[in-house]
Amino acid sequence: MLINQTMVDKAEALIPELMTSVVEPKSVVEIAADAEAFQGWRVEKAEDQAWKERVLGKGDNFILDFGDHLVGYVSLKVKSIGSPPDAPLKLKLTIGEMPCEIAEPFETYDGWLSSSWLQEETIFIDVLPAEIKLPRRYTFRYIKVEVLDTSKKYNVSFEQIACTAVTSGDVARVAPLPESVSGEWSEMDSIAVKTLQDCMQTVFEDGPKRDRRLWIGDLRLQAQANYLTFNNQELVKRCLYLFAGMRLPDGAVGACVFEKPHAHADDTRLYDYALFFVACLYDYYEASGDKETLEELWPIAMEQLEIGVERLDERGIVRDDETWWSFIDWHPELNKQAPSQGVLIYCLKRGLELARTLGLADKQQYIKEQIARTAEAAVTQLWDEDAGFFVSGSDRQISWASQIWLVLADVLPAEDNAALLERLFEEQPVIGMTTPYMYHHLIEALFTVGSREKATRQMQAYWGEMIKDGADTFWELYNPEDKKQSPYGSNLINSYCHAWSCTPTYFIRKYLI
Amino acid sequence: MLINQTMVDKAEALIPELMTSVVEPKSVVEIAADAEAFQGWRVEKAEDQAWKERVLGKGDNFILDFGDHLVGYVSLKVKSIGSPPDAPLKLKLTIGEMPCEIAEPFETYDGWLSSSWLQEETIFIDVLPAEIKLPRRYTFRYIKVEVLDTSKKYNVSFEQIACTAVTSGDVARVAPLPESVSGEWSEMDSIAVKTLQDCMQTVFEDGPKRDRRLWIGDLRLQAQANYLTFNNQELVKRCLYLFAGMRLPDGAVGACVFEKPHAHADDTRLYDYALFFVACLYDYYEASGDKETLEELWPIAMEQLEIGVERLDERGIVRDDETWWSFIDWHPELNKQAPSQGVLIYCLKRGLELARTLGLADKQQYIKEQIARTAEAAVTQLWDEDAGFFVSGSDRQISWASQIWLVLADVLPAEDNAALLERLFEEQPVIGMTTPYMYHHLIEALFTVGSREKATRQMQAYWGEMIKDGADTFWELYNPEDKKQSPYGSNLINSYCHAWSCTPTYFIRKYLI
């Protein structure tokens, strides 16, 4: 790793104080199998709401609904009823963002992400009454409390179960939408804002349940939404310095960063993510006008462009390969070449603006040449005139991602960009979109070409459908056509509050008001 | 409850500082099914002893043998190997005194004591490397460490697993046995001393794994062994004040006391246990000569005798009933009447000695009368001349316990006591003995009547057999004829270091050297 300790120290000095609020459960619920309900589970208010008065013995349980999505620390007060407790109390807590996490036994999980993400605790309490502050942070709306064992001589009763919620996103800073905004958009905006808020901790996390980590792909979208809502610029600055301060051996910015036990970069390298450092810095400067930071981080941004250009073949096209070299989207069959070409051009263009701001003539010249070379190569090498689409890879794959990114790269005349997106909807290539992250770029492309109505209809069809399916915060993965689908092999391990899904507030506040 | 706060405060002021020592694992072992081995499990040293260097992924595990029985706090240091950990580490620890606890899945437990006594922890570690100090106290020799999950990107390795052992029994105060004592008795003595030591915490606990609590039946035997070994008189004094300071509403001393969250008495009432307060005080004064404590606690001791006498019927015999009114032994069919009569007389006689010491003529007179009345009643009402045994209850049950306790009560002429015990061995009544606690009283009775050889043979056949079966400390329950038997429905929940089983050191030091 290339460590610039001064930059890391600068990042660490920017660790924010988190705001806290204590949240109590709102109701006792039951979760029933229902083929008509989202993912097959229906949540109903239980008849008996008096959970604090309930006397519980071995095998008894109840499910608390906190009424909204929360990120924080759970505490509980429990006392014994009956004779003095003559054996430890054995409790199990199952903690979930969604009903499926409470209703489907974790033992059934067989996906490819670690089962250690499933939020559960088995606790032995030797002394009663007890006030327990669980040390881990959880992300949830529901908690199932199960009394696994007491003894024949005593039962238990809970006096309090609460969550101390944490965030670095101050809602007081979020401007209310104008009254003219309809309820539909207002609701979508507030869910998006909550999604962003719950991801805003001591960094912009991708998902507070999982992976609880700073990814640059998520950061870019979070920061864009943040500038129009919480506008916590310091937090973006901290994240930029974390990426800049700890790079991969050749100078590329890593894909993600961990904060604990001390800040350290992951060894994951993604072509598009390294380039997004430039776009993030561009957006940050646009929002903040913080030239000092721009000047300090510029050399690293410039290096990312050079590293990106190094991957070009003799034709001026980003070299493809069989590894997981570029992210773009989770689609398992997606070829990454053409969309990565789009990302490179997109970031070169933002880099050019920054070089202009800094008055760096030679850099401007270099970047301009690279833009010309890569944009021309995209049109001459990747554009299939017969198909009317950009193609990607040796199999000339036609995907949504390729069209979207090459529209965002703006390599065609304006009217051709709009027509290309029209054609995309008409012909519906089979290699579609998997994540809200990819949907974001489709919407952004539509707004960019002026297809405002199509853009809003897509938002309604995607994020609007999540709301109908009960989203308190927007999800990492969602397929309105197959609501149980998960690329991780199980809906139990999906992240139901995910950074890259927070952008409806950005679209609403940037384009719709 | 009758609370005498001054006495409780006196008890609390006597809470000892515990001595600590850090113990590291001695070896890595494997536990294999073996029909020939005790309880069906054979422990073998593993081929690969290098547990600290081992790289463990999902599903890997190893078993550490700490080489001896321990009571204390476990800490572990674990680090990641490979990429930065991108998911929590999920660990399971199974902590056992005996191989069966490691080898038999706890899910199979179906006994009548709470499953919450089974020592296991499932731990999620969010940040690596980590140094974890588990907050609960465990009692064990073996720890099975299982890596339930990591992620595809990293494995783990343990740098340290250790136990900070705790006790209030200072081995430096235990006099070594004379060199003339054979290896057999010396080994039995040291295991008994270790048993007592591990039960000596901030009170004399019955069993440090379970119930971790002060029972007066255990206290009496522990204190007797303690006077000849650790001689921690302050700890006995603390326990006497706990019992004296918190009594049942009618003034009877309760059967057991809990220390946390503050000292409080259980609601369990046992006829014999309340009376043993007198015997405990007698033994304490004999050992310590502490007249101040004797004077302060005497009224409570006297009250126990009066409460005991209240239960006599018009014949002068302790009234029987169908409830769990007197302990004596765990035997499910044992009738408690005759042995309780023995306990009453035994304690009256010790009370008489205390009244003499204090020069209380009227109390002496009262107690003498009660001794005469109850002893005569025992002989006239409970002795069955034809059978040559004492009988108990309306069904005139002949049990070992009845004979033993009426020998200890010394109601027959000396030579008849000896003959009665001889007859017991010859005729072997079917209502036998279940616990080491009852065996203790048999051995004590044998030594009392001068049957030294029979006493030592019984010790060899019982505690000696436990040693052959691998005891590091002596057990709560043991049946040499049926080694898997447990009155609690499972060998998993037996207490393998139990106070009432520590008395071989008392016999060896009192009668054999």
Side-chain angles (χ1 to χ4, degrees), chain B residues 16 19 32 131 186 192 219 311 383 397:
Chain B
M19 279 161 283
E131 186 171 354
S186 167
L219 171 63
R311 199 177 169 100
W383 179 255
Q397 182 188 75

mmCIF file of all heavy atoms in Angstrom, chain B residues 16 19 32 131 186 192 219 311 383 397:
data_model
loop_
_atom_site.group_PDB
_atom_site.id
_atom_site.type_symbol
_atom_site.label_atom_id
_atom_site.label_comp_id
_atom_site.label_asym_id
_atom_site.label_seq_id
_atom_site.Cartn_x
_atom_site.Cartn_y
_atom_site.Cartn_z
ATOM 1 N N PRO B 16 -14.040 -11.470 50.357
ATOM 2 C CA PRO B 16 -12.579 -11.551 50.195
ATOM 3 C C PRO B 16 -12.122 -11.025 48.836
ATOM 4 O O PRO B 16 -12.866 -11.064 47.858
ATOM 5 C CB PRO B 16 -12.310 -13.054 50.290
ATOM 6 C CG PRO B 16 -13.569 -13.686 49.779
ATOM 7 C CD PRO B 16 -14.694 -12.768 50.173
ATOM 8 N N MET B 19 -7.739 -14.304 44.736
ATOM 9 C CA MET B 19 -6.396 -14.468 44.170
ATOM 10 C C MET B 19 -6.542 -14.869 42.708
ATOM 11 O O MET B 19 -7.441 -15.634 42.361
ATOM 12 C CB MET B 19 -5.650 -15.557 44.918
ATOM 13 C CG MET B 19 -5.046 -15.080 46.238
ATOM 14 S SD MET B 19 -4.667 -16.458 47.323
ATOM 15 C CE MET B 19 -6.321 -16.822 47.903
ATOM 16 N N ALA B 32 -12.684 -38.645 21.266
ATOM 17 C CA ALA B 32 -13.211 -39.698 20.394
ATOM 18 C C ALA B 32 -14.186 -40.587 21.153
ATOM 19 O O ALA B 32 -14.007 -40.843 22.349
ATOM 20 C CB ALA B 32 -12.059 -40.540 19.864
ATOM 21 N N GLU B 131 -8.797 -8.357 20.884
ATOM 22 C CA GLU B 131 -8.497 -8.996 22.169
ATOM 23 C C GLU B 131 -9.802 -8.983 22.944
ATOM 24 O O GLU B 131 -10.326 -7.927 23.285
ATOM 25 C CB GLU B 131 -7.401 -8.235 22.910
ATOM 26 C CG GLU B 131 -6.980 -8.968 24.160
ATOM 27 C CD GLU B 131 -5.740 -8.381 24.822
ATOM 28 O OE1 GLU B 131 -5.129 -7.453 24.243
ATOM 29 O OE2 GLU B 131 -5.411 -8.846 25.922
ATOM 30 N N SER B 186 -2.508 -39.390 48.939
ATOM 31 C CA SER B 186 -1.992 -38.065 48.624
ATOM 32 C C SER B 186 -2.683 -37.507 47.383
ATOM 33 O O SER B 186 -3.054 -36.323 47.328
ATOM 34 C CB SER B 186 -0.480 -38.202 48.419
ATOM 35 O OG SER B 186 0.021 -37.056 47.838
ATOM 36 N N ALA B 192 -9.170 -33.426 46.258
ATOM 37 C CA ALA B 192 -10.192 -32.884 47.170
ATOM 38 C C ALA B 192 -9.889 -31.419 47.507
ATOM 39 O O ALA B 192 -10.787 -30.570 47.545
ATOM 40 C CB ALA B 192 -10.259 -33.719 48.441
ATOM 41 N N LEU B 219 -21.930 -25.887 52.667
ATOM 42 C CA LEU B 219 -21.075 -25.062 53.525
ATOM 43 C C LEU B 219 -20.531 -25.875 54.697
ATOM 44 O O LEU B 219 -19.353 -25.776 55.030
ATOM 45 C CB LEU B 219 -21.864 -23.858 54.053
ATOM 46 C CG LEU B 219 -21.154 -23.042 55.140
ATOM 47 C CD1 LEU B 219 -19.866 -22.404 54.618
ATOM 48 C CD2 LEU B 219 -22.089 -21.976 55.724
ATOM 49 N N ARG B 311 -41.554 -29.311 64.837
ATOM 50 C CA ARG B 311 -42.054 -30.262 63.840
ATOM 51 C C ARG B 311 -42.279 -31.661 64.440
ATOM 52 O O ARG B 311 -42.760 -32.585 63.756
ATOM 53 C CB ARG B 311 -41.072 -30.347 62.671
ATOM 54 C CG ARG B 311 -41.705 -30.942 61.419
ATOM 55 C CD ARG B 311 -40.775 -30.977 60.226
ATOM 56 N NE ARG B 311 -41.378 -31.791 59.193
ATOM 57 C CZ ARG B 311 -42.035 -31.323 58.136
ATOM 58 N NH1 ARG B 311 -42.131 -30.030 57.941
ATOM 59 N NH2 ARG B 311 -42.583 -32.150 57.261
ATOM 60 N N TRP B 383 -37.071 -47.746 65.570
ATOM 61 C CA TRP B 383 -36.241 -48.963 65.515
ATOM 62 C C TRP B 383 -37.132 -50.178 65.305
ATOM 63 O O TRP B 383 -38.091 -50.385 66.018
ATOM 64 C CB TRP B 383 -35.418 -49.108 66.798
ATOM 65 C CG TRP B 383 -34.567 -50.354 66.786
ATOM 66 C CD1 TRP B 383 -34.799 -51.506 67.476
ATOM 67 C CD2 TRP B 383 -33.366 -50.553 66.043
ATOM 68 N NE1 TRP B 383 -33.823 -52.431 67.214
ATOM 69 C CE2 TRP B 383 -32.917 -51.860 66.323
ATOM 70 C CE3 TRP B 383 -32.621 -49.751 65.163
ATOM 71 C CZ2 TRP B 383 -31.750 -52.405 65.762
ATOM 72 C CZ3 TRP B 383 -31.460 -50.295 64.614
ATOM 73 C CH2 TRP B 383 -31.047 -51.596 64.908
ATOM 74 N N GLN B 397 -39.950 -47.471 55.593
ATOM 75 C CA GLN B 397 -38.860 -47.678 54.635
ATOM 76 C C GLN B 397 -37.527 -47.884 55.353
ATOM 77 O O GLN B 397 -37.216 -47.185 56.315
ATOM 78 C CB GLN B 397 -38.755 -46.444 53.716
ATOM 79 C CG GLN B 397 -37.682 -46.569 52.655
ATOM 80 C CD GLN B 397 -37.471 -45.267 51.898
ATOM 81 O OE1 GLN B 397 -36.869 -44.331 52.406
ATOM 82 N NE2 GLN B 397 -38.014 -45.206 50.688
#
